[in-house]
Amino acid sequence: MRTWAAVAILLAAGLSLTGCGPKREPGATLMSWAYPQSKTEPQPPTPPDPIHVPGSALSFTNAQVADDKNPVDWFPDEHPAPPPVVAHQREGGPTPCAECHLYNGRGFISAADLAGLSAPYIIQQVQEFRAGRRASAQHDRHDVEEMAKVADKVSDPELAQAAAYFAALPRTPFVRVVETDTVPVTKAFSFGWLEPVPNGGTEPIKGRIIEVSEDMPTLYLGDAHIGLVDYVPPGAVARGEALVKSGGKGGQPCAACHGPELKGAGDVPPLAGRSATYLARMLWDIKTGARQGPAVTVMQAPARGLGGAEITDVVAYLASRKP
Ligand code: HEC
Ligand code: HEC
């Protein structure tokens, strides 16, 4: 997967992987739990060849799994044939979409899920990245920089094909929300996600949302079946439901634009059953003006009406809904 290639590039450049570089600026102080960031690169486990994952009859080698120009597809029967730009990198072309968004569109941890978003919305967002209007409140967030590079390199016909592919995929549940006082002790990795520290024990949740993969070692192999766990503070889901229904200080119920069950309406994206930290980053990015552009103008008042603790509750509720 992409992280391995990044390790290779850093090693080739003679850079340190020990995470003792200068501290990043806390661009998103208040919601810092939603923007995990560090210089530490993940060290994915390397099982012996040939590699298998549960539920797939296929097998791949470590070299195939590490090839980010041709992301492996463990479940080719579960989706239509992808267009070239989703699956392979042409000379000078973008990193294939499936490398980060997976073939079923659920998205690697920290990348957005794309399954079932409308094709015009997908195209418009990639154009926003290209125009530099869709940045992150955390200015040097590595994964968003990578998405912006994709937006620069993808051609318009390729983008139209990728958008049609992801728009046609069904939205399926992949997020499990757990209300709890205590969470596993986690560690941030450079592409913007958390992983539990092995034998690291637990710590108080302290008003944060802690999002981890259900099975990081298998996700590293490119297994698109692996979902997310969102640990959220006790009571967050019920408080969030009330805010979503009232719209908080913004005063407009979210369902007015995002559809009665928050599953999206026309080109307005769905909110139900998405990653809580992705939703939190988007609300914070829109509230702080990092994500801009004409299409997002109507979303500014709803986002500005929510404080940090309210965003935590709102996204806990949204993530818990059926997609
Ligand atoms: C290197 C990883 C990577 C690759 C490759 C990649 N993306 Fe992304 N993409 C991301 C990340 C990370 C985000 C979330 C960005 C953010 O936080 O604003 C994202 C977000 C998006 C969004 C916004 C979704 C939303 O709900 O608003 C769209 C649309 C998108 N990507 C389309 C694509 C397409 C089409 C391709 C292939 C041509 C692609 N991406 C390839 C990492 C990637
Ligand atoms: C007046 C209509 C309107 C209302 C009300 C509204 N939204 Fe939105 N929202 C939008 C539109 C339109 C977009 C897409 C913006 C774009 O194209 O960049 C959006 C985008 C979003 C996104 C980013 C999704 C993504 O895929 O990146 C989130 C998160 C979000 N809204 C949450 C909410 C929440 C939570 C509420 C209620 C508190 C709410 N919205 C109320 C219109 C609305």
Side-chain angles (χ1 to χ4, degrees):
M1 298 301 287
R2 65 193 152 110
T3 48
W4 304 10
V7 171
I9 291 162
L10 282 175
L11 285 172
L15 294 176
S16 144
L17 296 181
T18 52
C20 47
K23 272 217 163 110
R24 305 226 167 187
E25 270 178 43
T29 355
L30 274 175
M31 299 285 291
S32 56
W33 56 259
Y35 296 81
Q37 190 79 346
S38 109
K39 289 215 181 266
T40 312
E41 289 291 338
Q43 305 285 338
T46 46
D49 289 343
I51 301 174
H52 294 273
V53 300
S56 172
L58 301 177
S59 66
F60 293 106
T61 62
N62 276 285
Q64 286 173 305
V65 166
D67 177 6
D68 67 352
K69 292 185 160 77
N70 302 285
V72 294
D73 188 355
W74 290 102
F75 305 104
D77 299 337
E78 294 184 0
H79 55 75
V85 68
V86 169
H88 305 290
Q89 184 169 17
R90 64 169 161 80
E91 194 64 36
T95 303
C97 316
E99 179 67 10
C100 301
H101 295 290
L102 306 179
Y103 285 99
N104 61 6
R106 282 184 181 185
F108 200 85
I109 183 169
S110 94
D113 58 307
L114 302 184
L117 303 186
S118 89
Y121 175 77
I122 292 174
I123 292 170
Q124 172 223 317
Q125 291 308 309
V126 174
Q127 287 168 345
E128 295 296 328
F129 283 109
R130 202 185 274 162
R133 287 193 293 251
R134 198 175 148 164
S136 175
Q138 179 173 301
H139 67 93
D140 59 351
R141 205 176 148 82
H142 199 161
D143 59 343
V144 182
E145 287 167 0
E146 288 299 315
M147 180 58 220
K149 282 187 212 159
V150 167
D152 283 341
K153 288 185 177 175
V154 69
S155 73
D156 288 340
E158 285 171 333
L159 176 55
Q161 288 183 347
Y165 173 78
F166 286 112
L169 296 175
R171 293 190 60 72
T172 51
F174 67 98
V175 183
R176 187 162 63 89
V177 172
V178 179
E179 288 195 354
T180 175
D181 275 320
T182 51
V183 291
V185 173
T186 47
K187 191 171 166 187
F189 285 101
S190 65
F191 269 92
W193 64 78
L194 294 173
E195 286 183 36
V197 174
N199 307 315
T202 57
E203 63 183 8
I205 194 163
K206 284 198 193 140
R208 299 168 299 168
I209 291 178
I210 298 297
E211 181 172 89
V212 293
S213 171
E214 292 272 19
D215 179 353
M216 201 65 206
T218 312
L219 181 63
Y220 276 133
L221 301 174
D223 182 340
H225 283 176
I226 306 300
L228 295 175
V229 193
D230 277 317
Y231 295 106
V232 308
V237 172
R239 290 191 301 269
E241 178 170 14
L243 283 163
V244 164
K245 291 190 167 151
S246 70
K249 285 186 211 68
Q252 298 176 83
C254 313
C257 300
H258 289 277
E261 292 176 281
L262 305 158
K263 295 183 177 181
D267 296 335
V268 183
L271 303 176
R274 302 188 75 177
S275 142
T277 68
Y278 175 74
L279 295 170
R281 284 191 293 278
M282 290 309 109
L283 286 167
W284 193 257
D285 289 353
I286 294 168
K287 182 181 162 84
T288 56
R291 177 170 164 180
Q292 295 176 354
V296 88
T297 319
V298 293
M299 188 47 222
Q300 280 165 351
R304 285 180 190 151
L306 299 170
E310 288 173 322
I311 289 179
T312 310
D313 293 341
V314 161
V315 301
Y317 170 70
L318 294 172
S320 77
R321 302 305 294 163
K322 273 219 186 74

